[in-house]
Amino acid sequence: MHIADGIVYIGVNDHELDLFEGQYIIPNGMAYNSYVILDEKVAVMDGVDGNFTDEWLGKLDATLDGRTPDYLIVQHMEPDHSSSLMAFTDKYPETVVVATVGAFNMMQNYFGTKFQGRNMIVKEGQTLSLGAKELTFIMAPNVHWPEVMFTYDAADKVLFSADAFGKFGALDVDEDWDCEARRYYFGIVGKFGKNVQAVLKKLAKYDVQVICPLHGPILKEDLDHYLGLYQTWSAYGVETPGVVIAYTSVYGHTKKAVEELAGMLADKGCPRVVVTDLARDDQAEAVEDAFRHNILVLATTTYCGGFFPSMHEFISHLEDHDYQNRTIAFVENGSWMPAATKAMKAITDKFTGIEYAENNVTIRGALNDASRAQLDALAEELAAKF
Ligand code: FEO
């Protein structure tokens, strides 16, 4: 895989892991990217997941062709990249480890050492010459962890962007970038919009032609598309006008109401309607859909005086990831004492910049003319927003 002269990809594909970070399904696997920069000096950019240490070191060995790495640059200490690093530092005891002070503190916690005598602590704007290539370090705290930094190679106009611009999916599977990058962004980085905005602002002064993330493909063309999406996502902006209806249903009545609402919205000219069953569909996909669109309908059953567990999980994800600046509407079902809307609203009231629909819907068991009329009024109100 050609990135630029003297920059070689030595990452690995993981098709064995069941859940990334213990919670995200990865139907097309995951890539852990690592790179070697060959110049008068040799730098290795990050490691891979520890289950792939041998494969990674084998690729590194083949790339080095007898040379020894001068620097190991650790941009991010999360174990999906760092759990192979002790094998590297044991194999190459002369290599200097380059990282932020925060990363070295994490190395103490994970590895029991800060590599005293062979470490280089770097700060914002600091440079490291490899010969013809000079690297500049750009601090990127909380994109995704606090110790994170990016690295810019001015000679090749290459940005090493840590987790940013990454996606789910191994590199030997061809799939749409936007969808899995969006699910990855809102799941992994979504809470840290302000931090992403800050680093995007800093990047404006660099001429970036190639982005080398720690997950997903190397980005070489149409960079404005990827940078534009990151700008929208990190500003919590609306990427696609439309309504997401996230629901739970016990005996199918709430599901029927949701299906009728979706039909009414489409009939009334709503540009896009997405329906997701929170008990069965991927919640990370539901979360990215909520962030992608501008209107969210929460439809659920009253349960134990509150609302259904999988809706709890969903709203909790939204709260965790700082969901904001959207319109929310409620559909509740309750056979004898509907209470779901009040309980959901008690949580969403804590979100920033939420506008509520005036027409909410209450169903008492099965749909009837009265509740159908409420659905129609809600559809009318929401469709008028486009
Ligand atoms: Fe890919 Fe935040 O680790």
Side-chain angles (χ1 to χ4, degrees):
M1 186 188 306
H2 182 261
I3 299 167
D5 285 343
I7 302 181
V8 180
Y9 180 84
I10 56 164
V12 298
N13 290 316
D14 184 350
H15 286 288
E16 295 164 21
L17 190 66
D18 56 348
L19 293 173
F20 182 70
E21 292 192 355
Q23 61 170 318
Y24 299 104
I25 59 166
I26 40 173
N28 287 331
M30 196 71 195
Y32 312 114
N33 298 340
S34 170
Y35 309 87
V36 184
I37 308 174
L38 298 155
D39 200 344
E40 287 169 34
K41 303 275 189 186
V42 176
V44 175
M45 303 298 300
D46 295 292
V48 299
D49 184 275
N51 290 322
F52 297 85
T53 302
D54 290 346
E55 183 182 342
W56 173 58
L57 289 178
K59 287 184 176 184
L60 173 61
D61 197 46
T63 304
L64 290 173
D65 198 21
R67 298 180 70 183
T68 301
D70 297 279
Y71 302 108
L72 169 66
I73 297 174
V74 181
Q75 301 184 109
H76 184 18
M77 264 300 292
E78 194 165 7
D80 52 330
H81 313 288
S82 71
S83 49
S84 53
L85 295 184
M86 283 299 273
F88 176 102
T89 54
D90 287 348
K91 184 172 180 182
Y92 300 107
E94 305 300 318
T95 302
V96 172
V97 181
V98 181
T100 60
V101 67
F104 281 111
N105 288 336
M106 290 180 183
M107 287 180 212
Q108 181 70 52
N109 295 335
Y110 275 106
F111 308 146
T113 177
K114 292 184 178 182
F115 298 101
Q116 285 89 346
R118 55 182 292 201
N119 65 10
M120 182 188 294
I121 298 171
V122 293
K123 295 180 179 163
E124 178 72 44
Q126 195 168 327
T127 58
L128 175 66
S129 176
L130 302 179
K133 301 178 196 294
E134 184 178 76
L135 304 179
T136 302
F137 301 108
I138 302 162
M139 300 301 108
N142 291 340
V143 186
H144 147 228
W145 279 12
E147 85 295 359
V148 170
M149 65 177 185
F150 294 176
T151 305
Y152 179 66
D153 160 19
D156 304 295
K157 300 181 172 34
V158 172
L159 176 72
F160 297 91
S161 63
D163 275 347
F165 302 100
K167 68 182 272 297
F168 297 118
L171 297 194
D172 54 1
V173 180
D174 202 17
E175 64 179 0
D176 178 61
W177 189 89
D178 292 11
C179 186
E180 282 299 73
R182 189 190 302 106
R183 189 168 71 95
Y184 174 88
Y185 175 86
F186 285 111
I188 310 287
V189 194
K191 183 180 181 62
F192 305 111
K194 282 195 180 116
N195 300 83
V196 176
Q197 288 267 299
V199 80
L200 287 175
K201 204 169 163 193
K202 284 196 274 186
L203 289 181
K205 72 176 183 189
Y206 296 95
D207 180 6
V208 177
Q209 303 288 330
V210 180
I211 297 176
C212 292
L214 287 178
H215 303 287
I218 288 124
L219 305 173
K220 290 182 156 188
E221 288 165 8
D222 202 12
L223 292 196
D224 284 349
H225 173 73
Y226 306 110
L227 289 162
L229 284 176
Y230 258 61
Q231 198 58 258
T232 301
W233 296 343
S234 58
Y236 302 94
V238 175
E239 180 189 341
T240 310
V243 179
V244 177
I245 310 176
Y247 78 94
T248 69
S249 190
V250 181
Y251 294 108
H253 297 98
T254 310
K255 180 179 182 180
K256 172 120 182 50
V258 159
E259 287 169 349
E260 291 202 18
L261 177 62
M264 291 171 185
L265 286 164
D267 290 346
K268 292 176 193 296
C270 189
R272 187 176 151 88
V273 183
V274 177
V275 177
T276 179
D277 177 347
L278 295 173
R280 293 173 179 81
D281 297 337
D282 175 27
Q283 288 247 351
E285 188 86 26
V287 168
E288 66 142 301
D289 273 330
F291 278 96
R292 177 179 179 178
H293 303 89
N294 52 323
I295 298 176
L296 175 63
V297 179
L298 299 172
T300 194
T301 318
T302 299
Y303 180 84
C304 295
F307 57 94
F308 208 65
S310 35
M311 179 62 83
H312 263 291
E313 184 187 346
F314 180 61
I315 293 180
S316 154
H317 285 310
L318 296 180
E319 188 175 17
D320 287 348
H321 294 90
D322 219 2
Y323 186 75
Q324 55 184 268
N325 299 330
R326 298 290 190 275
T327 298
I328 292 180
F330 298 104
V331 175
E332 65 179 354
N333 199 339
S335 306
W336 65 92
M337 190 183 69
T341 293
K342 187 177 172 198
M344 286 189 286
K345 190 168 177 296
I347 302 174
T348 58
D349 276 347
K350 293 185 270 180
F351 298 179
T352 304
I354 297 298
E355 181 186 311
Y356 292 107
E358 287 175 15
N359 292 280
N360 292 317
V361 178
T362 297
I363 305 160
R364 288 177 174 269
L367 272 175
N368 58 22
D369 288 348
S371 47
R372 222 169 241 119
Q374 290 179 17
L375 282 176
D376 191 68
L378 175 60
E380 195 74 36
E381 180 187 350
L382 297 184
K385 293 183 183 292
F386 297 98

